[in-house]
Amino acid sequence: MKVLNRDELQIAEGVLLKHLPKSYKVYGFLFGINRNKPTTLEVVVDTWPDFKVIICRLDTEVITIDFSLFSLQSRMSCHCCLQCVFCVPFLTRTSVSHTEIFKAVASAKGVPCKRVATCYLMTLEDVSRLPSVDSSGISISSLDESHIGLVSQTWKFGKDDVAVGLIRNMIANFPSCCVLDAERKPVSWILTYASCTIGMLYTLPEHRGKGYAKILVSSLAKRNHALGYPVYSFIEEENAVSYRLFANLGFTEDPSYREAWFRLNEFQIFQ
């Protein structure tokens, strides 16, 4: 396997651009890395320059929580590449079609592997499809460092120091939107992951039913689009409310594609 350097990462981003939307997850990471966003990931391929499998994995010199794979063609190459990544606690994501490969390699390595979620990939191909949203009288801002604790406390996977670090990086380096109350405290928010995915959408229970989620998704989608980011999100299959929200805002999903999420070595963090 080969670790890509700066120039090669630029080339790889162009290759993945041709394979959207299925390559969005890895493409999103490369998009950020190539624009000097902080990262603890390294990007490896099976061969270069005609790679069939590309993996964003942890840099063994640092601690991270992310791993993502995209296979252009070869399931066998995918299997071979995975042999070197089942070593530390982290959460991995890939196409549902690779489920059996993950299970087989994890079993061979003696690594606990648990599928924790299956998600729809929802993309907004045309930002002009966003319907008009009335945000008059609503104070919209970006999250800042003082909001890290609030976000981590309300995120179902955000109960440890690693999650806090993830959220801190997202708030400091990627776009976010929130609705502020009269005391300038966030009551609803959405963030952008290092993979350029928009998510972690949450509204405090006492402020629900006011249309805040619709306003925030629309606002962040427009902001990310203006910055050149790909605009997409992953919605868990059982989350019908979020699916309807994104669909009503013009996001679409590919019925033939599902994203599978696996927890390795009992790691507790999602996305």
Side-chain angles (χ1 to χ4, degrees):
M1 296 180 68
K2 172 181 171 55
V3 179
L4 300 186
N5 61 34
R6 174 65 66 178
D7 291 338
E8 292 164 343
L9 287 169
Q10 297 283 348
I11 296 171
E13 180 186 329
V15 173
L16 293 180
L17 182 62
K18 301 175 183 177
H19 292 271
L20 298 180
K22 291 181 174 63
S23 65
Y24 258 124
K25 177 61 70 172
V26 176
Y27 172 81
F29 279 121
L30 266 64
F31 182 92
I33 293 170
N34 286 334
R35 287 152 186 82
N36 300 314
K37 295 295 185 180
T39 184
T40 55
L41 298 178
E42 62 182 8
V43 182
V44 298
V45 294
D46 54 345
T47 59
W48 185 261
D50 299 320
F51 62 90
K52 296 296 184 293
V53 177
I54 183 167
I55 298 174
C56 297
R57 69 178 185 185
L58 63 90
D59 184 336
T60 54
E61 299 298 321
V62 295
I63 298 175
T64 187
I65 67 169
D66 239 315
F67 168 85
S68 193
L69 172 149
F70 175 65
S71 176
L72 277 70
Q73 178 179 344
S74 172
R75 289 174 62 87
M76 182 59 69
S77 293
C78 173
H79 186 284
C80 294
C81 285
L82 287 174
Q83 295 290 339
C84 70
V85 301
F86 287 87
C87 55
V88 296
F90 61 93
L91 192 95
T92 176
R93 78 284 315 261
T94 189
S95 169
V96 166
S97 64
H98 294 140
T99 297
E100 296 308 315
I101 296 176
F102 270 89
K103 289 181 178 179
V105 176
S107 177
K109 292 287 185 179
V111 174
C113 177
K114 180 180 180 181
R115 184 162 164 175
V116 296
T118 303
C119 301
Y120 298 108
L121 170 60
M122 305 287 289
T123 64
L124 184 65
E125 302 301 331
D126 184 0
V127 72
S128 67
R129 294 183 60 186
L130 283 168
S132 177
V133 177
D134 182 12
S135 59
S136 58
I138 297 174
S139 179
I140 301 175
S141 183
S142 297
L143 294 165
D144 62 42
E145 189 171 354
S146 69
H147 304 140
I148 293 172
L150 176 63
V151 175
S152 63
Q153 291 167 13
T154 53
W155 187 37
K156 64 178 179 178
F157 300 103
K159 304 301 186 290
D160 62 22
D161 291 341
V162 178
V164 171
L166 169 69
I167 293 167
R168 177 177 288 108
N169 177 59
M170 292 166 66
I171 290 176
N173 298 293
F174 296 89
S176 64
C177 282
C178 65
V179 173
L180 302 175
D181 65 11
E183 298 179 350
R184 305 295 294 173
K185 295 180 180 179
V187 298
S188 184
W189 54 82
I190 188 170
L191 291 81
T192 304
Y193 291 90
S195 58
C196 296
T197 316
I198 62 174
M200 217 175 287
L201 176 64
Y202 188 84
T203 301
L204 296 176
E206 62 270 27
H207 291 275
R208 292 174 184 172
K210 301 177 182 180
Y212 290 162
K214 183 177 182 179
I215 291 170
L216 291 179
V217 173
S218 179
S219 297
L220 188 59
K222 291 176 181 177
R223 182 181 301 180
N224 284 6
H225 175 76
L227 293 170
Y229 284 54
V231 182
Y232 70 107
S233 185
F234 286 101
I235 308 296
E236 293 182 64
E237 281 186 331
E238 63 271 23
N239 194 342
V241 174
S242 286
Y243 185 95
R244 287 195 299 270
L245 169 65
F246 279 79
N248 289 338
L249 287 171
F251 286 75
T252 58
E253 59 116 351
D254 181 350
S256 68
Y257 185 79
R258 292 291 184 276
E259 187 87 353
W261 303 74
F262 298 89
R263 182 186 298 139
L264 305 180
N265 289 316
E266 301 304 319
F267 198 63
Q268 301 299 314
I269 297 299
F270 182 88
Q271 191 146 299

